[in-house]
């Protein structure tokens, strides 16, 4: 029988100091990311767009386009497509989006009246008002800067403009020279480590592409089903809710929940209680269908993680870095998880099969 030694106090102390050292490094990294958040977020957005445009860029190169022209053409094509869609949709959305907030406010007032007057819960309006104030404060906290002050409109506009410029430039150079940069990095490694580096980079790139494609497909499916249901029950503001539902799909699980709640509240305010119940049932069924059937097939390995892992990453990203952190936390967690799994698989392949143990 194998002798399992009990760790001594010296070993426990050494391990404790190592954990403290790791904690200090992690805190320092989080602080640094917070100070450089505009740069980090712009870089993350550039990677997402570069991954989305990788296929058309490769196709343009294959028919003879130079690298720079292929990258620029892909970006201009995407910008033209988005501009065309916005030109068709924005005029109608502009009027209706202003009404979404009022509809949600009216629905929340109706829910408050029911909780106070008809529900079996012993609540008064003061308790509900305090809860709504806390939620408002929590949302507002996401728009505070790293120093704790509220981000002014001018500062926010400057940060958005700076981020867009950085993201655009970074995306261009990633499309133009991303493969060259990877090859140079891999070539700088020891010869025996280059195959593993290539495998890990390929797995990360594939994971990111699967996440973007899967989120887009699920967003279209959820938006069409919810929008059709709202239209059938006579709800207003269908197009804005469909737009929000599609965009929310890029934040798995939590995004679908938020979009479903908004759809129910808008339907409650514009079509009544019965219609809202129908929309709520459809939203729940669609979310379960996505989570249990569509998402595993569409995402495949890209998000082959337990929902709690994704939720933990989402909450951590939102708590540390606000809305931007929530947006990029899921692809970051997905890429990190899949790269770790690829590394483990490679180690197991190198180790070979274990001894044949028979009883």
């Amino acid at each position: 029988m194998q002798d399992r030694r009990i760790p001594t106090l010296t070993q426990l102390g050494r391990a404790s100091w190592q954990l403290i050292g790791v904690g200090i490094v992690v805190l320092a990294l989080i602080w640094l990311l917070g100070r450089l958040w505009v740069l980090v977020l712009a870089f993350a957005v550039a990677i997402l767009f570069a991954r989305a445009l990788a296929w058309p860029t490769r196709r343009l190169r294959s028919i003879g386009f130079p690298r720079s022209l292929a990258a620029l053409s892909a970006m201009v094509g995407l910008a033209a497509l988005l501009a065309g869609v916005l030109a068709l949709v924005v005029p109608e959305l502009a009027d209706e989006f202003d009404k979404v907030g009022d509809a949600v406010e009216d629905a929340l007032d109706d829910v408050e009246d029911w909780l106070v007057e008809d529900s079996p819960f012993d609540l008064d309006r003061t308790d509900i008002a305090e809860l709504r104030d806390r939620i408002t404060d929590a949302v507002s906290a996401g728009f505070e800067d790293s120093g704790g002050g509220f981000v002014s409109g001018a500062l926010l506009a400057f940060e958005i403009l700076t981020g867009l410029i950085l993201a655009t430039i970074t995306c261009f150079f990633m499309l133009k020279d991303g493969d060259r940069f990877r090859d140079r990095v891999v070539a700088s490694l020891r010869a025996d480590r280059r195959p593993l580096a290539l495998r890990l980079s390929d797995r990360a790139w594939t994971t990111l592409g699967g996440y973007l494609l899967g989120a887009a497909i699920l967003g279209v499916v959820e938006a069409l089903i919810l929008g059709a249901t709202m239209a059938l029950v006579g709800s207003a503001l269908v197009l804005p809710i469909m737009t929000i539902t599609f965009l929310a799909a890029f934040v798995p699980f939590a995004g679908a929940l938020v979009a479903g709640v908004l759809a129910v509240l808008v339907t409650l305010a514009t079509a009544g209680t019965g219609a809202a119940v129908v929309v709520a049932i459809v939203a729940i069924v669609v979310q379960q269908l996505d989570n249990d059937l569509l998402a595993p097939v569409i995402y495949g390995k890209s998000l082959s993680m337990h929902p709690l892992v994704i939720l933990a990453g989402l909450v951590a990203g939102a708590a540390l870095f606000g809305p931007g952190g929530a947006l990029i936390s899921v692809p970051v967690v997905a890429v990190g998880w899949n790269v770790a799994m690829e590394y483990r698989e490679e180690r197991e392949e190198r180790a070979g099969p274990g001894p044949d143990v028979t009883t």
Side-chain angles (χ1 to χ4, degrees), residues 216-268:
I217 294 175
L218 289 179
V220 170
V221 172
E222 293 170 359
L224 289 176
I225 295 177
L226 270 183
T229 303
M230 293 177 65
L232 289 174
V233 299
S235 175
L237 308 176
V238 174
L239 189 56
I241 296 301
M242 290 180 65
T243 304
I244 293 172
T245 302
F246 172 76
L247 296 176
F250 289 89
V251 185
F253 305 109
L257 177 62
V258 171
V261 170
L262 283 177
V264 171
L265 290 176
V266 168
T267 305
L268 175 64

Side-chain angles (χ1 to χ4, degrees), residues 39-246:
L39 179 62
V40 173
L41 186 58
F43 184 71
V45 171
I47 292 177
L48 292 175
F49 276 98
R51 184 62 185 93
L53 294 173
W55 183 82
T57 303
R58 286 198 306 270
R59 294 294 299 173
L60 290 173
R61 284 189 204 166
S62 67
I63 61 176
F65 276 57
R67 284 177 169 268
S68 298
L69 184 57
L72 184 61
S73 299
M75 294 178 66
V76 171
L78 177 62
L81 176 63
L82 293 177
V85 172
L86 291 176
L88 294 174
V89 175
V90 165
E92 185 175 354
L93 284 179
D95 295 333
E96 292 194 351
F97 261 117
D98 291 338
K99 302 175 184 176
V100 172
D102 295 335
V104 171
E105 188 72 23
D106 293 340
L108 290 176
D109 291 338
D110 292 340
V111 172
E112 179 179 334
D113 293 338
W114 178 81
L115 287 173
V116 174
E117 299 173 2
D118 301 322
S119 74
F121 307 108
D122 185 18
L123 296 174
D124 56 34
R125 296 192 184 277
T126 303
D127 297 330
I128 298 176
E130 291 179 356
L131 177 61
R132 293 175 68 168
D133 290 340
R134 289 179 182 177
I135 294 175
T136 302
D137 293 340
V139 173
S140 299
F143 295 94
E144 293 182 355
D145 61 19
S146 58
F150 193 77
V151 178
S152 65
L155 179 58
L156 182 60
F158 175 76
E159 290 186 349
I160 292 175
L161 179 61
T162 303
L164 286 175
I165 295 173
L166 289 174
T168 301
I169 295 173
T170 304
C171 180
F172 171 77
F173 282 107
M174 289 190 66
L175 290 172
K176 175 179 175 289
D177 298 318
D179 54 344
R180 290 176 173 175
F181 179 75
R182 186 194 72 163
D183 293 342
R184 289 177 182 175
V185 172
V186 171
S188 67
L189 302 175
R190 282 181 2 201
D192 59 329
R193 296 190 176 182
R194 291 171 189 170
L196 175 59
L198 288 173
R199 284 185 59 171
L200 296 182
S201 65
D202 289 341
R203 182 69 175 265
W205 199 240
T206 302
T207 298
L208 198 57
Y211 161 76
L212 290 174
L213 180 61
I217 294 175
L218 289 179
V220 170
V221 172
E222 293 170 359
L224 289 176
I225 295 177
L226 270 183
T229 303
M230 293 177 65
L232 289 174
V233 299
S235 175
L237 308 176
V238 174
L239 189 56
I241 296 301
M242 290 180 65
T243 304
I244 293 172
T245 302
F246 172 76

Side-chain angles (χ1 to χ4, degrees), residues 4-58:
R4 296 184 177 180
R5 299 177 58 187
I6 299 176
T8 64
L9 290 177
T10 302
Q11 292 172 331
L12 291 176
R14 187 181 300 114
S16 299
W17 279 111
Q18 290 173 347
L19 288 176
I20 292 174
V22 171
I24 292 174
V25 171
V26 170
L27 289 176
L29 181 60
I30 292 174
W31 177 85
L32 182 61
L33 289 176
R35 304 300 293 182
L36 301 175
W37 182 238
V38 174
L39 179 62
V40 173
L41 186 58
F43 184 71
V45 171
I47 292 177
L48 292 175
F49 276 98
R51 184 62 185 93
L53 294 173
W55 183 82
T57 303
R58 286 198 306 270

